[in-house]
Amino acid sequence: MSTSPNSRTVTDRLVEANAEYAEAFTDPGMGAAPVLNVAVVACMDARIDLHASLGLRLGDCHTIRNAGGVVTDDVIRSLTISQRALGTRSVVLIHHTDCGLMKLTEDFRHDLELEVGQRPSWAVEAFRDVDQDVRQSIERVRTSPFLLHTDDVRGFVFDVTTGLLREIEPGGSPTK
């Protein structure tokens, strides 16, 4: 289906950019297992250039992103596959300052139900304290019976104004 220049969508622009990318693309010859044996779970926030902020290159890690970077059942599913089928051993969790989930509540689900007539099966996972939510995410990973490697799980808060990571200790106060 052809679109006129005035009716081009963002998706049309992305598909065109992909065509340009593919013209110069060469198969990097790597497998699906990440070179650094690490999986990074982070928020989907568009202000975070995850690979650049961590000095990562293509093939270095598995990247799992969702709203808030929270550890949900689907994140555990992805981490389980990452570890058991593709050899990752470390997990890095990254939340961030000024997160949109800090501005929502679980009432969001109720509002959706009123609007569409069906309650979502998923939780919003809203939170007020980003440090505490990182601790909760660390605990969810460390206590999952499906994950083989839970000894190297670390959590951070990315500052969207400075670009710096601040490590969060699992059971206590943040470190600098």
Side-chain angles (χ1 to χ4, degrees):
M1 177 179 168
S2 172
T3 59
S4 70
N6 293 337
S7 65
R8 282 188 45 200
T9 67
V10 171
T11 304
D12 293 331
R13 193 182 104 222
L14 298 176
V15 170
E16 289 170 12
N18 173 258
E20 290 177 27
Y21 170 80
E23 286 177 19
F25 182 79
T26 56
D27 180 356
M30 60 179 66
V35 173
L36 299 179
N37 296 325
V38 64
V40 179
V41 178
C43 184
M44 66 187 190
D45 192 295
R47 296 172 289 182
I48 303 170
D49 185 346
L50 196 59
H51 281 72
S53 69
L54 299 175
L56 295 168
R57 295 180 304 187
L58 180 68
D60 281 349
C61 73
H62 282 161
T63 305
I64 304 162
R65 295 184 82 160
N66 67 18
V70 295
V71 176
T72 61
D73 287 346
D74 194 58
V75 168
I76 293 294
R77 171 188 160 272
S78 293
L79 288 172
T80 301
I81 293 167
S82 178
Q83 286 189 357
R84 290 178 176 264
L86 296 162
T88 60
R89 301 183 77 75
S90 300
V91 179
V92 174
L93 306 169
I94 301 177
H95 287 35
H96 66 91
T97 58
D98 192 36
C99 184
L101 281 187
M102 295 176 75
K103 299 170 177 95
L104 293 176
T105 67
E106 292 299 321
D107 288 341
F108 184 78
R109 292 176 71 226
H110 176 72
D111 296 343
L112 280 172
E113 180 181 11
L114 292 177
E115 180 183 332
V116 303
Q118 180 179 342
R119 175 175 288 157
S121 60
W122 39 264
V124 175
E125 295 281 351
F127 53 87
R128 291 183 186 164
D129 181 335
V130 67
D131 290 16
Q132 181 54 34
D133 203 64
V134 171
R135 286 185 200 98
Q136 176 177 282
S137 291
I138 292 169
E139 190 64 18
R140 284 179 176 174
V141 171
R142 287 188 172 167
T143 59
S144 172
F146 307 109
L147 299 175
L148 296 172
H149 307 288
T150 58
D151 55 324
D152 187 13
V153 179
R154 293 173 64 187
F156 301 85
V157 174
F158 177 87
D159 188 314
V160 297
T161 61
T162 67
L164 289 172
L165 289 176
R166 178 173 50 84
E167 187 160 6
I168 304 300
E169 291 298 322
S173 60
T175 59
K176 302 275 187 239

